[in-house]
Amino acid sequence: MNVLVVGAGAMGRWFADAVRADDVGIAFADPDDAAASAAADAVDGRAVPLDTDESFTAVCIAVPIPVAVEAIATHADRAERALIDVTGVAAEPVAAMREHAPDRERLSLHPLFAPENEPGNVAAVVDAAGSTTDAVRDALTARGNDVFETTADEHDRAMETVQAKTHAAVLAFGLAADPVPEEFQTPISTVLFDLLEQVTGGDARVYADIQDAFDGAEDVAAAAEELAATDADAFGALYDRAGDHR
């Protein structure tokens, strides 16, 4: 099997490393030729131009969310058997794969962790299964990941909470917080500051793409306003409502 990974960022590199084997050849294509070459070298693969006329057993789209649909349309014809995406959103890529690769296997994957935190849960929208996508899922499972099936709609609804709302809440805390000496920290504030460090230690563009792709930040803002405006008698009801989501 030979695999083309479109996108030489963290997710593309993770996917290539996960599926590489003695009988799997990896190629990378990226607008940044140097990034494609570095990613290829890391997995004993090769770099190819973005406009390559080669075909591959499988093509994996590992690009930022805003350009996922365009990348699928551009590279779908290079997939002989399977088209896969690891962009982090499901509904639009799955629809694009159906349109541009109707007769091929189609799989949308979302590792719910940063590559350095593997193994973990991997959401899988299996839109059209086959031996190639089965082999990919088996390779991820062999690395200790829990690959679970879901639908595009269920995945994207979940991301509104576990990504968009979560990131908005952590960043809002960071924007509102004042510096506090260590001796004043509580167990809860320590956790929040640790989360803030983790979120702000990444790539702002990735977090911006998530906020643009999924609803949720407005709900966090509305909830904060409701808490700020409530009186002591009504606070208990809000407190209980929040606890219902544990």
Side-chain angles (χ1 to χ4, degrees), residues 38-70:
D41 289 345
V43 293
D44 296 323
R46 61 194 178 94
V48 298
L50 270 175
D51 60 353
T52 179
D53 57 5
E54 291 186 58
S55 59
F56 299 83
T57 311
V59 172
C60 176
I61 304 299
V63 301
I65 291 173
V67 296
V69 169
E70 178 184 355

Side-chain angles (χ1 to χ4, degrees), residues 122-161:
V122 180
V125 179
V126 186
D127 197 52
S131 60
T132 302
T133 54
D134 286 349
V136 168
R137 294 163 67 192
D138 289 345
L140 298 182
T141 300
R143 289 165 68 93
N145 297 299
D146 179 12
V147 183
F148 67 95
E149 289 194 34
T150 184
T151 66
D153 288 342
E154 182 180 45
H155 170 273
D156 288 358
R157 283 196 305 271
M159 291 308 105
E160 291 181 3
T161 291

Side-chain angles (χ1 to χ4, degrees), residues 4-18 26-43 47 50 60-65 67 86-87 111 113-116 143 203 205-206 209:
L4 172 64
V5 181
V6 181
M11 281 297 102
R13 291 176 179 228
W14 167 81
F15 180 85
D17 187 61
I26 304 291
F28 272 95
D30 191 278
D32 184 338
D33 292 337
S37 295
D41 289 345
V43 293
L50 270 175
C60 176
I61 304 299
V63 301
I65 291 173
V67 296
V86 291
T87 60
F113 49 80
E116 62 270 20
R143 289 165 68 93
D203 183 345
R205 177 192 56 78
V206 172
D209 289 346

Side-chain angles (χ1 to χ4, degrees), residues 14-16 22 33-34 41 49 72 85 96 106 116-117 123 126 130 143 150 153 173 181 188-189 232 235 241-242:
W14 167 81
F15 180 85
D22 290 342
D33 292 337
D41 289 345
I72 288 168
D85 92 275
R106 299 181 299 277
E116 62 270 20
N117 295 327
V126 186
R143 289 165 68 93
T150 184
D153 288 342
F173 167 74
I188 293 175
S189 69
F235 184 89
R241 277 173 51 198

Side-chain angles (χ1 to χ4, degrees), residues 48-228:
V48 298
L50 270 175
D51 60 353
T52 179
D53 57 5
E54 291 186 58
S55 59
F56 299 83
T57 311
V59 172
C60 176
I61 304 299
V63 301
I65 291 173
V67 296
V69 169
E70 178 184 355
I72 288 168
T74 299
H75 298 282
D77 287 345
R78 299 186 173 96
E80 296 173 348
R81 295 181 60 179
L83 188 58
I84 301 163
D85 92 275
V86 291
T87 60
V89 65
E92 291 186 356
V94 167
M97 288 192 288
R98 286 178 183 171
E99 177 182 356
H100 298 287
D103 57 347
R104 276 147 285 176
E105 300 170 40
R106 299 181 299 277
L107 175 64
S108 182
L109 295 169
H110 186 184
L112 301 171
F113 49 80
E116 62 270 20
N117 295 327
E118 189 184 20
N121 293 338
V122 180
V125 179
V126 186
D127 197 52
S131 60
T132 302
T133 54
D134 286 349
V136 168
R137 294 163 67 192
D138 289 345
L140 298 182
T141 300
R143 289 165 68 93
N145 297 299
D146 179 12
V147 183
F148 67 95
E149 289 194 34
T150 184
T151 66
D153 288 342
E154 182 180 45
H155 170 273
D156 288 358
R157 283 196 305 271
M159 291 308 105
E160 291 181 3
T161 291
V162 302
Q163 287 197 316
K165 292 178 184 179
T166 300
H167 300 164
V170 171
L171 290 169
F173 167 74
L175 292 169
D178 293 320
V180 177
E182 183 64 31
E183 59 266 28
F184 286 105
Q185 296 288 358
T186 70
I188 293 175
S189 69
T190 297
V191 169
L192 279 172
F193 276 109
D194 287 345
L195 288 172
L196 181 64
E197 182 177 2
Q198 182 175 341
V199 170
T200 56
D203 183 345
R205 177 192 56 78
V206 172
Y207 289 94
D209 289 346
I210 289 169
Q211 291 299 326
D212 188 55
F214 302 112
D215 295 331
E218 297 85 354
D219 293 339
V220 173
E225 288 183 356
E226 189 175 10
L227 281 169

